[in-house]
């Protein structure tokens, strides 16, 4: 970080307003200068890197008003996650032993889902269901790494709603794709660090046209909150260049299931009709084949 950024981060770390001790200052300086690695370190590894004791790291966290180091670490991730380049994220994964990759990645996915469950705002979830359920047309926007999420959501929402439009590729200009959006419509915008500027611009444009905007992102510091009428968060933490999409896909599943239950009679009728088509044209493998 540049010196001004270091000072800003130290100021935010020192939220209690008290002066940092010599040991605490060394920790804060290390975090500010090596934020891309520090936020993923255990307390013992951070202590070793900052040349202090592990107990000093724990006291540092508590001096700043946190319950312990894990809470400080979570807040640090929120501060710096959007700053990390792909190169920095890739370098972090070099610390994972090859024999531990499978268990590390799966455990990170599990932790992200658990943290999402614990922090999800159920009122915002219900409001998102209301907005999407009442829309005449549903746009789903997800670019770059969020494109598969948009495609997945669009695939299943097509079963529930008559007019669902997925904007997930670069072959069509984003603004052309949503140029006919109206106040009766909803745009679901999906983006995670390093947030797509085009997605944010399109969400802002949709709101300027009077449409309702539902955001799906990673946390309260995401810029998607500023351009959404309601925003849902799902954790994507992963100590690598790959985002963990387990929690976002699970949250999308929850949205689809909730919307399906609100339209269960219509959906049951549609699936009955579709099953006849699928059987007639052998869309899926049947028993004995």
């Amino acid at each position: 970080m540049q010196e001004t950024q270091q000072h800003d981060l130290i100021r935010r770390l020192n939220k209690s307003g008290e002066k940092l001790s010599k040991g605490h200052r060394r920790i804060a300086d290390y975090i500010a200068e090596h934020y891309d690695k520090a936020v993923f370190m255990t307390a013992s590894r951070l202590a070793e890197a900052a040349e202090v004791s592990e107990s000093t790291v724990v006291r540092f966290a508590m001096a700043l008003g946190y319950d312990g180091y894990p809470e400080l670490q979570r807040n640090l991730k929120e501060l710096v996650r959007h700053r990390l380049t792909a190169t920095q994220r890739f370098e972090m994964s070099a610390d994972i032993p090859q024999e531990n990759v499978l268990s590390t990645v799966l455990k990170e996915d599990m932790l992200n889902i658990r943290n999402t469950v614990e922090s999800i705002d159920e009122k915002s979830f219900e409001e998102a269901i209301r907005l999407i359920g009442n829309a005449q047309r549903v746009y789903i926007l997800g670019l770059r790494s969020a494109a598969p999420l948009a495609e997945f959501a669009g695939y299943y929402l097509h079963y529930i709603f008559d007019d669902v439009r997925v904007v997930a590729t670069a072959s069509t200009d984003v603004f052309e794709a949503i140029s006919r959006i109206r106040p009766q419509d909803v745009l679901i915008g999906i983006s995670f660090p390093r947030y797509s500027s085009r997605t944010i611009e399109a969400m802002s444009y949709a709101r300027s046209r009077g449409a309702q905007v539902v955001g799906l992102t990673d946390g309260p510091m995401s810029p998607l909150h500023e351009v959404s009428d309601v925003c849902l968060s799902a954790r994507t933490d992963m100590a690598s260049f790959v985002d963990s999409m387990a929690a976002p896909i699970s949250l999308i599943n929850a949205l689809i299931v909730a919307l399906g239950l609100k339209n269960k009679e219509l959906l049951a009728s549609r699936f009955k009709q579709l099953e006849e088509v699928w059987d007639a044209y052998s869309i899926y493998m049947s028993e004995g084949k």
Side-chain angles (χ1 to χ4, degrees):
M1 288 185 181
Q2 297 178 349
E3 186 175 355
T4 54
Q5 291 176 312
Q6 292 178 19
H7 290 164
D8 178 61
L9 183 53
I10 292 172
R11 178 183 60 78
R12 296 172 76 173
L13 287 171
N14 189 19
K15 58 191 293 186
S16 65
E18 301 175 359
K19 288 186 178 180
L20 296 174
S21 68
K22 184 178 179 180
H24 290 179
R25 171 65 61 178
R26 295 178 73 169
I27 298 170
D29 285 342
Y30 182 85
I31 292 173
E33 294 171 8
H34 306 282
Y35 66 96
D36 54 327
K37 294 183 178 180
V39 295
F40 295 99
M41 288 180 172
T42 62
S44 61
R45 289 186 62 194
L46 178 57
E48 181 180 353
E51 298 182 346
V52 298
S53 67
E54 184 175 350
S55 61
T56 300
V57 172
V58 175
R59 288 196 298 269
F60 171 73
M62 298 183 72
L64 299 184
Y66 298 104
D67 292 335
Y69 179 72
E71 185 182 0
L72 168 61
Q73 188 179 43
R74 287 194 297 271
N75 280 270
L76 288 175
K77 287 181 180 180
E78 290 292 343
L79 289 177
V80 305
R81 61 187 286 109
H82 66 283
R83 298 174 184 260
L84 301 180
T85 65
T87 301
Q88 290 171 326
R89 289 160 65 94
F90 178 71
E91 288 174 349
M92 290 185 301
S93 65
D95 294 333
I96 304 175
Q98 184 68 37
E99 63 272 18
N100 295 340
V101 170
L102 178 60
S103 61
T104 297
V105 172
L106 294 182
K107 287 178 181 178
E108 284 285 346
D109 282 345
M110 292 167 61
L111 182 60
N112 282 326
I113 292 177
R114 185 175 71 185
N115 289 339
T116 298
V117 171
E118 293 175 352
S119 62
I120 193 73
D121 185 340
E122 293 191 13
K123 289 185 178 179
S124 295
F125 180 81
E126 292 299 327
E127 177 64 7
I129 295 301
R130 187 188 69 82
L131 293 178
I132 298 170
N134 292 337
Q136 289 189 9
R137 181 184 299 158
V138 179
Y139 291 86
I140 308 172
L141 172 62
L143 305 178
R144 305 183 69 81
S145 63
L149 298 177
E151 294 283 4
F152 178 84
Y155 176 83
Y156 284 102
L157 290 181
H158 271 111
Y159 289 127
I160 305 172
F161 302 108
D162 292 328
D163 199 344
V164 177
R165 308 191 181 192
V166 176
V167 184
T169 65
S171 60
T172 302
D173 182 79
V174 171
F175 291 100
E176 288 182 7
I178 66 171
S179 61
R180 297 183 182 181
I181 197 166
R182 305 162 299 177
Q184 305 96 314
D185 301 334
V186 161
L187 172 70
I188 303 173
I190 309 172
S191 191
F192 298 91
R194 306 159 65 191
Y195 312 101
S196 164
S197 57
R198 185 63 73 188
T199 297
I200 296 169
E201 291 168 353
M203 292 170 69
S204 180
Y205 170 77
R207 290 188 82 184
S208 72
R209 294 293 301 271
Q212 301 295 308
V213 176
V214 175
L216 177 55
T217 189
D218 64 310
M221 295 186 69
S222 168
L224 269 70
H225 281 269
E226 299 179 4
V227 291
S228 302
D229 293 288
V230 58
C231 202
L232 304 176
S233 296
R235 305 300 304 184
T236 60
D237 299 341
M238 179 63 70
S240 179
F241 68 99
V242 180
D243 284 318
S244 169
M245 292 301 181
I249 202 73
S250 187
L251 181 54
I252 290 173
N253 278 341
L255 285 170
I256 294 168
V257 170
L259 289 164
L261 290 174
K262 289 182 70 71
N263 298 273
K264 56 184 177 182
E265 293 184 3
L266 173 63
L267 195 55
S269 176
R270 286 182 174 174
F271 277 131
K272 183 178 180 181
Q273 181 182 23
L274 284 170
E275 288 291 350
E276 294 175 356
V277 174
W278 293 336
D279 288 343
Y281 293 94
S282 301
I283 300 300
Y284 295 110
M285 293 292 294
S286 58
E287 293 185 14
K289 290 186 180 182

